[in-house]
Amino acid sequence: MNAHLVWDWNGTLLHDIDAVIEATNASFAEIGLPRITLDRYRELYCVPVPKFYERVMGRLPTDDEWEVMDEIFHRHYWTLAGTCGLTQDAAEILARWRYEGLTQSLCSLAPHEQLLPIIRTHGIEDHFIRVDGRVDGSHTGKSEQMARHLAAIEDIDIDPRRVVVIGDAVDDAVAAAHVGARAVLYTGGSHSRASLELAGVPVVDSLADAVEVAQALAG
């Protein structure tokens, strides 16, 4: 049985962790928080994002603080995102999976109207049978969006038991479990390996390894 892959975007297919750290520190500076290192970010990061800020600040941000931090983060991030490249071997892996007649889709918490143009810039849109970004203003996790994503794939009969979500965050594993799918987590994004391993799913250091594990899980 072949796997249907559901890819995450930020931190998985797009190597944007440096842009994320720079944008995060810009948002922190706006309310007087000290800079955060990559290692500390990966140690503390979680979804929903206000919970991450609570871990950093020792309290939840106020509504005003959240509004300022969120606006500053996204302004800086989307300025930098266009300079980010795909993760090593990502384009080749996506092309090979499609060439072999296998299916894959993309489900991201990035805003849909900003996600599509950047995917097109990298020339990979045609590899996916469906692409979904966030279409509401909520900052909850990916579980409900994952359910909508799979339900909306009409071209093929998607059996959740052959779906494998590949992402860089514990939330990707949570979303996979929510729909009865499997997950493989990649260490090049938002979490430390130790944090990812708490999810109880396979953790890998490359996208090539992620696809190999996904095939084994589906078989």
Side-chain angles (χ1 to χ4, degrees):
M1 182 185 295
N2 292 317
H4 170 81
L5 303 182
V6 179
W7 293 94
D8 173 57
W9 176 242
N10 302 101
T12 303
L13 291 175
L14 185 69
H15 184 66
D16 65 349
I17 189 62
D18 293 333
V20 167
I21 296 300
E22 189 167 336
T24 298
N25 280 321
S27 72
F28 282 7
E30 196 69 17
I31 65 167
L33 291 175
R35 292 179 61 83
I36 193 169
T37 65
L38 172 58
D39 287 346
R40 184 66 172 159
Y41 179 92
R42 284 176 164 164
E43 178 185 340
L44 296 178
Y45 182 74
C46 63
V47 174
V49 175
K51 183 68 176 177
F52 163 60
Y53 289 153
E54 182 182 22
R55 290 179 174 184
V56 173
M57 301 169 67
R59 60 174 175 81
L60 282 169
T62 66
D63 289 345
D64 287 345
E65 287 172 334
W66 165 255
E67 185 175 342
V68 168
M69 294 169 79
D70 194 49
E71 191 278 326
I72 294 294
F73 174 88
H74 283 98
R75 188 199 320 157
H76 280 77
Y77 174 79
W78 287 106
T79 298
L80 297 167
T83 68
C84 298
L86 295 178
T87 298
Q88 183 177 352
D89 300 327
E92 294 81 0
I93 288 168
L94 295 173
R96 187 182 314 120
W97 193 262
R98 180 187 177 201
Y99 176 78
E100 292 176 356
L102 305 175
T103 59
Q104 57 196 331
S105 57
L106 193 153
C107 183
S108 171
L109 292 180
H112 190 75
E113 71 276 7
Q114 292 167 294
L115 177 65
L116 285 181
I118 194 169
I119 289 173
R120 289 168 181 160
T121 297
H122 288 286
I124 59 173
E125 182 183 13
D126 290 345
H127 297 321
F128 305 110
I129 63 173
R130 185 174 181 86
V131 173
D132 283 313
R134 187 193 296 279
V135 294
D136 57 35
S138 69
H139 288 81
T140 57
K142 192 183 282 187
S143 293
E144 295 304 322
Q145 182 171 326
M146 183 66 69
R148 293 192 297 269
H149 175 74
L150 293 181
I153 296 176
E154 300 175 350
D155 296 340
I156 58 174
D157 182 21
I158 298 291
D159 181 350
R161 293 171 298 179
R162 59 179 283 267
V163 171
V164 182
V165 177
I166 299 177
D168 71 311
V170 171
D171 188 53
D172 291 303
V174 172
H178 180 72
V179 297
R182 308 290 187 88
V184 181
L185 299 181
Y186 164 62
T187 60
S190 58
H191 284 277
S192 67
R193 170 176 277 277
S195 297
L196 293 177
E197 287 175 343
L198 295 175
V201 302
V203 177
V204 298
D205 297 318
S206 72
L207 297 188
D209 286 346
V211 171
E212 183 177 344
V213 172
Q215 288 173 309
L217 289 173

